[in-house]
Amino acid sequence: MSQDQLLAKPLNLQDQQQQSLAMHLLKLVLNCLNFDFIGNSADESADDLCTVQIPANWRTIFLEPETLDLFFDLYHSLPPMLSQLALSCLVQFASTRRSLFSNPERAKYLGNLIKGVKRILENPQGLSDPSNYHEFCRFLARLKTNYQLGELVMVKEYPEVIRLIANFTITSLQHWEFAPNSVHYLLTLWQRMVASVPFVKSTEPHLLDTYAPEITKAYITSRLESVPVVVRDGLEDPLDDTATVFQQLEQLCTVSRCEYEKTCTLLVQLFDQNARNYQKLLHSSSRNPLELTVQEGRLAWLVYFVGTVVGGRLTYTSTDEHDAMDGELSCRVFQLISLLDAQLPRSSNEKVELAILWFLDQFRKTYVGDQLQRTSKVYARMSEVLGITDDSHVLETFVAKIVTNLKYWGRCEPVISRTLQFLNDLSVGYILLKKLVKIDAVKFMLQTHTSKHFPFLGVNDNYSLSDLRCRTTFYTALTRLLMVDLGEDEDEFENFMLPLTVSFETLTQIFNNSFKQEEAKRMLIGLARDLRGIAFALNTKTSYTMLFDWIYPSYLTVLQRAIELWYREPACTTPILKLMAELMQNRSQRLNFDVSSPNGILLFREASKMICTYGNQILSLGTLSKDQVYPLKLKGISICYSALKSALCGNYVSFGVFKLYGDNHFDNVLQAFVKMLLSVSHSDLLQYRKLSQSYYPLLECLTQDHMSFITSLEPNVLIYILTSVSEGLTALDTIVSSSCCASLDYIVTYLFKHIAKEGKKPLRCKEISQEGQRLLHFMQQNPEVLPQMMSILMNTIIFEDCRNQWSVSRPLLGLILLNEKYFSELRASLITSQPDSKQEVLNQCFRNLMEGVEQNLLVKNRDRFTQNMSVFRRDMADALRNEGAAEPSSLDMMS
């Protein structure tokens, strides 16, 4: 049965065969339209950016208007279970690549799509089904994704269709509890339509100045009307889903700036009305808690809306009058902040506070910064009402709000976390920092950052261990502020560190005397997080040296002791290990100590002790369950590997010194690396992203600079490492696959150079020859290792979407030169699997790959080979794609 017959002959839903046939036909069409025709591996999650690359020989089918009519007719005639598939096909039809049509053809095709949209909206019965509704919203969004506003307005039915779409959107927004995921597509449509207005050259009216304010009004009023329903009926509050709220507000910000005067007038009216009602309730002797909650919920939404429209200034053309309107709205929020802060700590509302922080951040992005013109009209009204005349005064208000939140909201992690993120964002940018450090409240924070003034820094049992995480952000921002005028003033640094000094001294006494384990643990976790934040912000050699002199050796000893005691508790070990990993980072060359300083070696020795202690202790845990293996073991190992990698690549330690003077710290940490590695399965290495992204770059460092260590490993360890490299070559994560290619390249190059030197046999290379001989002997004992990797790389080059082509080319040349016989077999295997007509073309491809590549000259030939390989990939793809070519699944001959 064809799809035309489905319409001509009514479908009998009781007939299971007919229903199944219709469903499979539609799924077949949908799968054809979803096929990745050009192999671009599009991210399916990026639904709004998709373009269907229809083959050119399908063009005639798409030019026939009956094709689109067929699927619109199927949607109207089929039941929901099948009609949603018809809509899914139409979504793909709307996404057809523009280059398939000429301009007149594209206009005609778009006209047919718009006619179909009009028909659906005029007969909306089918949209009551959630699946149909969702697919139709996607369909509308795709129209603007693939067609320009200038093209849409030229369609005859555009005025009527944009009216219908606006009414449909308004109705959807008013039903706020229904399908928020579908609303995303409607807001995407309007956002892109409004954003295109400045670029429309057509004389036809786009009518967005009529409908965009109505969309904005519908969103605002529907959310305000939802509050009493949520509070009264105990429903799930949309404000609790901050990810969805933020996403929708970011879409709304562009729409709201179209005919901004209307939106501003509406918000001023609603804000004043709700603020008056809220004040009456606050001053009422018999305040109703339910009514108070409703008013606070409405105010939270209104503050979000003000922040949204203010942030919209960056996305849409604005005038001085618009800036003045922003000032009018912002005044009301700043007044609300004063009103709410005056109620603390007696009365507070978390949702309103989070909304205020959203507004402050949007105002910061829009009106506070290095590029802001001082004459901005936003400050005209704010100057009259609040005395805020420029961004310096606004910064004072920001900091006062931050200090208030840190003082009174210590037990509310969401508010504290968002407040500290706001402080952190403020502390980025030199000009802002220079202004901030002049503010008295900032000076107060720099001098009195203790739990007495900021309760969230406390370590009592009222706070969970996870609440301590935000301390890192706090100290990063504070240290940036400290750095502005610090220079080489060690006394000022000591004064800043005084609260931490007191805590460490107390901790030392606890360890030495009455050991209160829980108190010590909490204090140590907090200190480790504080110090990590400080270390992250110290990006100069002078300031980092001050921190090192402060922490070494006494306080590092305390951290070492904690690792010994609490290695079973990742809540304690993770912050300490992360602190050590941060201390090992040579960011901005901050660890390049003076030539007379031993600090680099001393720091590495401490890191070595900690990694060895943790590694030995963690291995004593034995076998762990699947749900425990990462938090209790693999996470700590990954941090240790990151720290070791930073040390090996930091260029602030001469590792040859350790062997020269009989110091075993370097050897010990390498042995700890091996022991921890062998306790991890190959599947876990690739399954856990953080572990793979720390292990493989570390291995790259070891193969680059420490091949003597690699060659000294036992055969079983070498097999393990090379197997991990082999499996990582095909990893989807380019960090992993590129590191594997680099590691393999260093190993192959080392082996190649050794073989080349063996022929010359100079006496002075005797020791090097012994190291190389061990590796050569291992490869001779395991002859399948390198050919197997060559096979993997050749498969990647020929058959896969190779995203790191340069990285793959580097080891491949060495593998070919070391295994010429096997390479010839691979080439023959591929060529003979193809039809005779293709074999000469493929032969020429392989000849071109090795053209200009001289035997026994690896380093000299690398760049030439990389260039050849780029051409080789293209020519092979063309040859294997042509009709008549067989499709070999792989080149693996090892089996």
Side-chain angles (χ1 to χ4, degrees):
M1 181 187 293
S2 71
Q3 289 177 347
D4 291 301
Q5 289 174 302
L6 285 176
L7 297 174
K9 179 181 178 182
L11 183 66
N12 180 8
L13 291 178
Q14 304 304 318
D15 188 334
Q16 192 66 34
Q17 286 186 333
Q18 286 191 36
Q19 186 174 340
S20 177
L21 177 59
M23 181 177 66
H24 283 94
L25 277 169
L26 286 168
K27 284 185 175 180
L28 175 62
V29 174
L30 183 59
N31 287 338
C32 290
L33 294 170
N34 280 328
F35 186 75
D36 185 10
F37 290 100
I38 62 172
N40 61 356
S41 302
D43 181 5
E44 292 181 1
S45 64
D47 193 10
D48 54 340
L49 298 174
C50 185
T51 299
V52 181
Q53 301 291 339
I54 297 298
N57 54 5
W58 291 14
R59 185 171 176 274
T60 52
I61 301 173
F62 279 71
L63 288 177
E64 295 172 1
E66 293 80 12
T67 303
L68 282 179
D69 292 344
L70 170 64
F71 284 89
F72 281 115
D73 290 341
L74 285 170
Y75 162 74
H76 287 287
S77 60
L78 294 175
M81 184 178 67
L82 299 179
S83 60
Q84 65 171 317
L85 289 173
L87 270 179
S88 297
C89 292
L90 286 167
V91 170
Q92 298 302 94
F93 276 114
S95 310
T96 303
R97 63 182 173 95
R98 295 171 57 82
S99 56
L100 191 68
F101 309 107
S102 64
N103 286 342
E105 291 168 346
R106 190 183 309 115
K108 185 178 179 182
Y109 186 79
L110 175 60
N112 290 332
L113 287 170
I114 295 297
K115 285 179 185 176
V117 171
K118 180 183 176 185
R119 183 181 169 194
I120 290 174
L121 289 172
E122 288 176 339
N123 302 275
Q125 300 85 354
L127 297 178
S128 58
D129 177 75
S131 297
N132 280 347
Y133 172 79
H134 182 75
E135 289 302 315
F136 183 64
C137 292
R138 289 182 65 223
F139 179 42
L140 293 177
R142 289 286 180 94
L143 283 176
K144 182 58 193 76
T145 300
N146 215 29
Y147 294 94
Q148 300 169 4
L149 181 57
E151 294 173 315
L152 290 167
V153 299
M154 297 302 294
V155 177
K156 181 181 177 182
E157 288 84 1
Y158 174 79
E160 178 63 15
V161 168
I162 196 67
R163 182 187 67 81
L164 290 170
I165 292 175
N167 291 338
F168 173 71
T169 305
I170 291 169
T171 304
S172 298
L173 293 174
Q174 288 169 344
H175 294 83
W176 53 269
E177 72 283 6
F178 181 71
N181 292 334
S182 304
V183 168
H184 160 77
Y185 294 106
L186 293 176
L187 291 176
T188 297
L189 168 69
W190 287 100
Q191 176 192 23
R192 294 187 171 184
M193 295 272 277
V194 172
S196 301
V197 167
F199 309 103
V200 175
K201 298 177 181 178
S202 172
T203 56
E204 298 293 327
H206 54 68
L207 302 177
L208 293 177
D209 48 358
T210 301
Y211 297 116
E214 293 184 15
I215 302 301
T216 305
K217 180 180 179 180
Y219 189 92
I220 292 171
T221 54
S222 65
R223 269 49 190 173
L224 293 180
E225 290 166 2
S226 73
V227 176
V229 180
V230 168
V231 174
R232 184 183 66 240
D233 298 341
L235 301 178
E236 187 176 343
D237 193 344
L239 279 175
D240 292 335
D241 184 4
T242 54
T244 300
V245 170
F246 290 166
Q247 183 186 59
Q248 292 182 356
L249 291 179
E250 285 169 3
Q251 294 172 311
L252 188 70
C253 73
T254 305
V255 183
S256 66
R257 298 295 290 203
C258 185
E259 294 296 303
Y260 186 41
E261 297 83 355
K262 297 178 183 178
T263 300
C264 182
T265 302
L266 173 68
L267 283 174
V268 166
Q269 176 191 340
L270 291 171
F271 206 108
D272 289 347
Q273 176 187 335
N274 283 277
R276 280 195 301 270
N277 293 341
Y278 184 61
Q279 282 183 298
K280 287 179 184 177
L281 283 172
L282 287 178
H283 296 121
S284 172
S285 56
S286 58
R287 65 172 74 171
N288 185 330
L290 206 63
E291 288 183 21
L292 195 64
T293 304
V294 169
Q295 284 303 322
E296 288 173 339
R298 283 177 170 157
L299 284 172
W301 274 114
L302 285 166
V303 173
Y304 272 125
F305 294 143
V306 174
T308 299
V309 298
V310 169
R313 182 184 187 273
L314 301 174
T315 66
Y316 200 78
T317 306
S318 294
T319 63
D320 286 347
E321 288 73 21
H322 290 166
D323 288 359
M325 294 177 205
D326 285 347
E328 195 73 42
L329 287 168
S330 300
C331 276
R332 286 160 169 76
V333 180
F334 283 115
Q335 287 174 316
L336 178 64
I337 291 173
S338 300
L339 174 65
L340 292 173
D341 286 352
Q343 305 296 317
L344 294 171
R346 300 187 311 278
S347 174
S348 60
N349 184 282
E350 178 185 327
K351 291 173 184 175
V352 180
E353 286 299 326
L354 292 175
I356 286 171
L357 288 166
W358 162 269
F359 161 77
L360 293 177
D361 196 46
Q362 296 302 309
F363 193 93
R364 173 191 68 82
K365 292 175 182 176
T366 308
Y367 288 111
V368 179
D370 302 348
Q371 307 301 321
L372 178 73
Q373 294 180 352
R374 291 181 174 275
T375 57
S376 175
K377 296 293 183 182
V378 74
Y379 293 112
R381 181 63 175 158
M382 292 173 66
S383 176
E384 294 174 18
V385 179
L386 306 171
I388 296 176
T389 58
D390 57 22
D391 61 342
S392 294
H393 285 114
V394 171
L395 286 175
E396 291 180 14
T397 308
F398 285 175
V399 176
K401 180 59 181 169
I402 289 168
V403 171
T404 301
N405 281 7
L406 297 181
K407 184 176 181 181
Y408 291 109
W409 287 90
R411 295 191 180 183
C412 182
E413 196 275 336
V415 172
I416 287 293
S417 178
R418 198 79 62 78
T419 301
L420 290 175
Q421 188 57 53
F422 180 56
L423 173 62
N424 188 58
D425 293 339
L426 278 177
S427 68
V428 177
Y430 183 72
I431 294 178
L432 272 187
L433 283 171
K434 291 290 285 185
K435 293 178 179 179
L436 285 168
V437 294
K438 296 176 182 177
I439 299 173
D440 290 339
V442 170
K443 295 176 182 176
F444 171 76
M445 282 196 291
L446 288 172
Q447 293 166 1
T448 55
H449 45 96
T450 62
S451 58
K452 178 182 177 182
H453 298 94
F454 304 117
F456 80 96
L457 293 174
V459 290
N460 57 51
D461 294 339
N462 293 326
Y463 299 93
S464 70
L465 296 179
S466 62
D467 289 345
L468 303 177
R469 291 176 182 171
C470 56
R471 296 170 63 140
T472 303
T473 307
F474 178 63
Y475 272 97
T476 296
L478 274 193
T479 308
R480 287 197 190 113
L481 292 164
L482 174 73
M483 289 277 290
V484 174
D485 297 320
L486 179 63
E488 299 183 6
D489 192 340
E490 295 182 8
D491 291 337
E492 185 177 350
F493 183 79
E494 288 288 340
N495 289 334
F496 175 73
M497 299 296 290
L498 190 58
L500 283 79
T501 305
V502 171
S503 296
F504 256 118
E505 293 299 333
T506 304
L507 198 58
T508 304
Q509 291 177 5
I510 293 175
F511 272 164
N512 293 337
N513 303 318
S514 56
F515 185 64
K516 300 175 183 177
Q517 182 163 319
E518 197 59 35
E519 179 186 352
K521 194 186 304 177
R522 286 177 169 272
M523 191 177 294
L524 195 69
I525 294 169
L527 283 168
R529 295 193 184 281
D530 298 346
L531 284 171
R532 183 175 161 223
I534 293 171
F536 181 80
L538 296 177
N539 285 333
T540 66
K541 183 171 73 172
T542 302
S543 59
Y544 183 91
T545 302
M546 291 182 192
L547 175 64
F548 183 81
D549 292 340
W550 178 86
I551 199 173
Y552 180 85
S554 304
Y555 301 149
L556 281 177
T557 304
V558 175
L559 299 177
Q560 300 278 12
R561 176 77 174 131
I563 291 290
E564 292 178 19
L565 289 171
W566 296 313
Y567 65 92
R568 293 173 178 268
E569 302 183 44
C572 185
T573 57
T574 297
I576 296 174
L577 292 172
K578 283 187 174 181
L579 168 60
M580 182 56 74
E582 177 57 43
L583 290 173
M584 305 302 288
Q585 287 269 6
N586 193 14
R587 194 180 301 109
S588 302
Q589 305 302 306
R590 62 182 185 173
L591 269 70
N592 288 2
F593 298 107
D594 295 336
V595 291
S596 60
S597 171
N599 287 352
I601 291 174
L602 295 175
L603 176 61
F604 180 80
R605 283 161 57 101
E606 293 299 321
S608 171
K609 290 178 192 174
M610 185 173 290
I611 292 171
C612 290
T613 300
Y614 179 79
N616 290 330
Q617 297 280 44
I618 209 69
L619 295 180
S620 67
L621 294 177
T623 304
L624 297 170
S625 62
K626 189 69 176 175
D627 59 327
Q628 288 184 314
V629 69
Y630 183 76
L632 288 183
K633 176 181 172 183
L634 300 183
K635 186 174 183 180
I637 290 177
S638 71
I639 301 170
C640 289
Y641 283 0
S642 294
L644 184 54
K645 183 255 180 187
S646 297
L648 294 179
C649 300
N651 292 323
Y652 56 88
V653 181
S654 177
F655 293 101
V657 170
F658 291 96
K659 184 176 181 181
L660 185 63
Y661 291 101
D663 188 324
N664 59 4
H665 282 89
F666 183 48
D667 288 338
N668 289 346
V669 78
L670 292 180
Q671 292 307 316
F673 154 75
V674 172
K675 289 178 183 177
M676 288 188 284
L677 179 62
L678 293 179
S679 72
V680 180
S681 67
H682 284 116
S683 59
D684 285 346
L685 274 180
L686 289 169
Q687 180 179 349
Y688 296 99
R689 186 167 173 264
K690 288 185 178 179
L691 179 60
S692 60
Q693 289 190 349
S694 60
Y695 163 68
Y696 284 104
L698 170 58
L699 183 61
E700 181 182 346
C701 288
L702 287 170
T703 53
Q704 180 179 11
D705 298 321
H706 303 281
M707 273 303 296
S708 58
F709 163 70
I710 298 293
T711 59
S712 69
L713 294 171
E714 293 295 322
N716 65 308
V717 181
L718 259 179
I719 283 288
Y720 183 98
I721 288 175
L722 291 171
T723 303
S724 72
V725 170
S726 178
E727 293 181 355
L729 288 172
T730 56
L732 295 176
D733 189 334
T734 52
I735 293 176
V736 172
S737 58
S738 296
S739 289
C740 286
C741 289
S743 300
L744 180 57
D745 183 35
Y746 292 129
I747 293 171
V748 169
T749 302
Y750 183 87
L751 193 59
F752 192 89
K753 288 181 177 179
H754 167 73
I755 293 173
K757 288 179 181 177
E758 276 291 294
K760 301 174 184 177
K761 292 278 186 181
L763 294 175
R764 60 187 179 85
C765 292
K766 184 177 180 183
E767 185 178 348
I768 298 177
S769 296
Q770 289 176 349
E771 293 174 353
Q773 197 62 38
R774 283 197 297 269
L775 183 61
L776 180 60
H777 180 71
F778 169 82
M779 293 301 179
Q780 291 169 344
Q781 294 294 313
N782 300 272
E784 77 285 353
V785 172
L786 294 183
Q788 183 178 12
M789 294 198 195
M790 189 204 301
S791 176
I792 291 171
L793 292 179
M794 288 299 295
N795 272 315
T796 302
I797 290 295
I798 297 174
F799 300 114
E800 303 294 334
D801 178 24
C802 185
R803 299 177 185 178
N804 49 346
Q805 182 176 307
W806 186 90
S807 299
V808 171
S809 72
R810 310 315 268 185
L812 183 57
L813 176 59
L815 290 170
I816 291 174
L817 295 179
L818 286 173
N819 300 272
E820 293 183 44
K821 181 182 176 184
Y822 183 74
F823 177 66
S824 299
E825 293 172 359
L826 278 179
R827 180 175 60 189
S829 172
L830 174 66
I831 292 173
T832 55
S833 69
Q834 300 300 309
D836 293 341
S837 60
K838 300 293 174 187
Q839 291 187 7
E840 181 53 36
V841 176
L842 295 178
N843 241 323
Q844 187 60 47
C845 289
F846 277 99
R847 284 195 294 269
N848 292 343
L849 176 64
M850 302 305 292
E851 183 182 353
V853 175
E854 301 175 42
Q855 301 295 322
N856 302 322
L857 290 175
L858 175 59
V859 177
K860 182 181 177 181
N861 289 322
R862 274 201 179 115
D863 291 339
R864 178 60 184 267
F865 180 78
T866 300
Q867 295 170 7
N868 289 353
M869 198 180 76
S870 180
V871 178
F872 173 78
R873 283 197 73 223
R874 184 194 64 207
D875 293 346
M876 287 293 289
D878 291 342
L880 294 175
R881 191 184 296 126
N882 290 338
E883 289 186 33
E887 190 170 334
S889 58
S890 78
L891 284 173
D892 188 8
M893 294 180 60
M894 298 312 299
S895 58

